[in-house]
Amino acid sequence: TPRVPVMPPSRHPCVAMRVPMGLLSLLLALSLLSPRGSAGASCPPRCVCASNLLSCSQANLSAVPAPLPRFTAVLDLSHNNVTRLRADWAPARLPHLHALLLSHNGLTFVSTEAFAHVPRLRHLDLSSNRLRTLDENLFSDLGELEVLLLYNNEITTVDRTAFENLGRLRKLYLGQNRIARFPLELLREGTRLPQLALLDLSANRLRAVPAGELQALPAWLRDRLYLHNNPLACDCLLFQLLDRGHRRHLSAVVDFQDELRCVLPGAPASIKILALAGQQPLNCSKAREDVLEAHLGDSVTLGCDSRWQGVRGRHWVTPGGERVLGDGGNGSVVLLANGSLQLRALRPEDAGTYACWVAGPLLNETLYVELLVHNFTLHGPHDTLNTAYTTLVGCILSVVLVLIYLYLTPCRCCCCRGTEKPPAPRDDSINSSVLSTTPNHAGGTGEPCGSHIASSAGTGQNGRFKGGGTPPLPARQGPKAQRKVSDPDSVSSVFSDTPIV
């Protein structure tokens, strides 16, 4: 029987293939589980990498580690010694980074180009550092930033362009700094920071705030405008602003009403702002909220100043009980796109209390606006000025007419001084006129006064024949006979010193 050769075990094809495959599987598993494998090979020293999270907190770092993994989405560098954030801290673009934590580092300098390579950043924490100024266009490269934490620094100056191009910023924390003036005009009309819903300015050095402009802000922003723990000067406008917020249950006022204090001139200690009502020396009075005055024929707009920003729906109820929905009302009552109610051509029956019902994301809210319609159309300082001007002009004209009547009334005497003219007969009084006209001196021949009277003896006024006239007087001789009617003596006879009344 032929002998079958037996292959040694080490050379058996199945055994020979079994060992390398097992080792390969083990190495593959270890490479996937190891933080230093293919995915974590670029994880910096003294840092922990977990998926797309890179944590270097409390690693005693004096600079940002390099190189950083390109896939990093969250970078935690808090509680280190990174005092300066230069423009080259991220030499390569980090397109996935959306959160950067740099709190408790003692930062004193941040370059204006420090965020050029992280355009997708949405959360930036620079709190608890030693920053003193916010330079112009410091955060202008962060167009998608939503939350910015700058509290507990040493900030004294805030440039109005520091928050330029932050169109998506929702929360800005600037509490516990040394800010004496914050550019609140950034909030006006919502042009610079249109989506800002929270602004923390507490524990700073603010001495005055524009209460009138803050009252014009929407209620959903005033609900998260924190001004407590500031050395504010006591003012009635400030009291009315916070008093309205307290009645509207705004959280920035209700939650910190004990910390909202102000300083009176000469007072040793601060007092609560909400306690200013009726106190000397200001003696502030509570303003009526949501009271609008108008006049007949005017057009007014009633605002629905809700505390909720994400409103699901709203409608108005008129004083007569009529509901005004989103499709608008009749021709005189229209619901606008922003939720306001517009009333056109006001009538007396339009006066009353209007209710705005708002369906918020958490709770519903009902706002009331009282409309007062005055029963006259003249209003405003311009009309008052016109009335006073008309009265003054009327008085001046009256005085002028009285003076004309007193001093410019013609007399009955003859046009020539020294000429004695007998009174006309009684039957001629009907044809004569009291206000006789001054005769014309035609030709300018210089006729004597007597000859002129003689030539007109047979006619009356306007050339009419005079039935019973005065007989002609003989011409007087002498130097006085050569005087004209228009000489000074004749003028003085017309404008006599004794007026005839």
Side-chain angles (χ1 to χ4, degrees):
T1 305
R3 303 181 69 179
V4 179
V6 179
M7 184 176 295
S10 59
R11 296 182 180 181
H12 196 277
C14 294
V15 175
M17 291 294 297
R18 190 176 301 162
V19 175
M21 291 180 62
L23 290 175
L24 183 60
S25 301
L26 179 60
L27 292 176
L28 181 60
L30 291 176
S31 64
L32 292 176
L33 295 176
S34 174
R36 306 287 180 175
S38 60
S42 59
C43 188
R46 291 183 288 181
C47 297
V48 178
C49 298
S51 183
N52 58 355
L53 307 180
L54 179 58
S55 176
C56 302
S57 179
Q58 299 181 357
N60 197 22
L61 299 174
S62 58
V64 179
L68 293 173
R70 191 173 183 273
F71 55 81
T72 303
V74 178
L75 177 58
D76 185 4
L77 295 171
S78 61
H79 295 276
N80 281 287
N81 299 318
V82 182
T83 59
R84 301 177 69 84
L85 191 64
R86 302 179 182 273
D88 57 351
W89 72 272
R93 187 179 180 90
L94 300 176
H96 304 288
L97 187 66
H98 62 79
L100 176 60
L101 311 179
L102 282 165
S103 62
H104 297 277
N105 269 278
L107 272 174
T108 59
F109 171 78
V110 177
S111 173
T112 55
E113 300 177 357
F115 309 106
H117 291 162
V118 287
R120 299 293 181 87
L121 205 62
R122 298 195 303 269
H123 183 100
L124 178 59
D125 186 0
L126 297 174
S127 62
S128 300
N129 284 291
R130 297 179 181 177
L131 298 176
R132 295 186 177 182
T133 60
L134 298 181
D135 299 329
E136 57 179 353
N137 298 318
L138 181 59
F139 307 105
S140 60
D141 292 328
L142 303 177
E144 298 185 9
L145 191 65
E146 298 179 0
V147 179
L148 178 58
L149 289 81
L150 291 165
Y151 63 87
N152 194 22
N153 274 277
E154 301 174 2
I155 300 173
T156 58
T157 305
V158 179
D159 192 271
R160 64 179 60 192
T161 63
F163 309 104
E164 199 75 25
N165 300 329
L166 298 185
R168 297 187 181 181
L169 188 65
R170 296 178 53 252
K171 299 179 180 180
L172 177 58
Y173 295 87
L174 285 166
Q176 299 182 25
N177 279 283
R178 303 175 184 177
I179 301 174
R181 183 191 178 278
F182 180 80
L184 289 173
E185 57 268 17
L186 298 178
L187 310 178
R188 188 183 306 155
E189 301 176 359
T191 55
R192 297 288 185 87
L193 304 173
Q195 297 188 17
L196 189 66
L198 186 149
L199 176 59
D200 181 16
L201 293 173
S202 62
N204 276 280
R205 298 181 180 179
L206 298 175
R207 296 186 178 275
V209 293
E213 295 183 9
L214 295 182
Q215 180 60 36
L217 296 176
W220 53 264
L221 181 54
R222 283 185 283 120
D223 190 28
R224 299 295 180 89
L225 178 60
Y226 298 96
L227 297 171
H228 56 277
N229 289 332
N230 275 285
L232 297 170
C234 293
D235 182 63
C236 287
L237 291 178
L238 178 63
F239 162 74
Q240 294 174 357
L241 170 68
L242 298 181
D243 182 63
R244 289 190 182 99
H246 188 267
R247 282 184 285 175
R248 292 286 305 275
H249 303 285
L250 302 184
S251 59
V253 179
V254 175
D255 297 342
F256 298 95
Q257 53 184 324
D258 294 334
E259 288 81 8
L260 284 167
R261 309 180 71 87
C262 64
V263 180
L264 284 170
S270 60
I271 62 173
K272 293 183 180 180
I273 299 179
L274 294 177
L276 286 177
Q279 285 195 7
Q280 297 296 333
L282 297 180
N283 194 20
C284 299
S285 59
K286 295 185 177 182
R288 295 183 299 172
E289 185 180 8
D290 297 327
V291 176
L292 186 62
E293 298 186 14
H295 303 81
L296 290 179
D298 289 351
S299 296
V300 297
T301 301
L302 310 181
C304 189
D305 195 12
S306 174
R307 290 186 297 143
W308 309 117
Q309 188 175 7
V311 177
R312 299 195 308 267
R314 72 181 85 199
H315 68 268
W316 284 83
V317 179
T318 64
E322 178 186 0
R323 295 185 62 181
V324 183
L325 301 175
D327 54 353
N330 51 33
S332 61
V333 182
V334 179
L335 182 62
L336 303 180
N338 60 356
S340 302
L341 188 68
Q342 187 179 60
L343 305 176
R344 304 170 182 171
L346 288 178
R347 302 165 299 175
E349 54 268 24
D350 291 331
T353 301
Y354 293 77
C356 178
W357 184 85
V358 179
L362 300 177
L363 298 173
N364 296 334
E365 186 179 13
T366 304
L367 304 175
Y368 299 95
V369 180
E370 182 180 357
L371 177 62
L372 305 178
V373 180
H374 297 289
N375 195 16
F376 55 88
T377 57
L378 293 179
H379 58 88
H382 181 70
D383 297 325
T384 305
L385 180 62
N386 286 342
T387 304
Y389 178 76
T390 305
T391 305
L392 179 62
V393 172
C395 293
I396 294 175
L397 289 177
S398 301
V399 173
V400 171
L401 291 176
V402 170
L403 292 176
I404 291 175
Y405 178 75
L406 291 178
Y407 293 100
L408 298 183
T409 304
C411 59
R412 297 176 181 267
C413 59
C414 179
C415 58
C416 298
R417 293 177 59 93
T419 303
E420 297 179 0
K421 181 178 180 180
R426 184 177 300 273
D427 55 358
D428 266 353
S429 62
I430 297 178
N431 297 327
S432 63
S433 173
V434 175
L435 299 177
S436 61
T437 59
T438 305
N440 295 328
H441 311 291
T445 57
E447 279 188 9
C449 186
S451 63
H452 178 77
I453 296 175
S455 63
S456 61
T459 57
Q461 290 183 352
N462 299 328
R464 294 182 181 180
F465 178 75
K466 189 173 181 180
T470 305
L473 296 176
R476 296 184 59 180
Q477 303 296 327
K480 290 186 179 181
Q482 301 300 325
R483 290 185 180 179
K484 298 180 181 181
V485 180
S486 59
D487 62 3
D489 290 336
S490 67
V491 174
S492 63
S493 66
V494 175
F495 298 96
S496 59
D497 294 336
T498 305
I500 300 175
V501 182

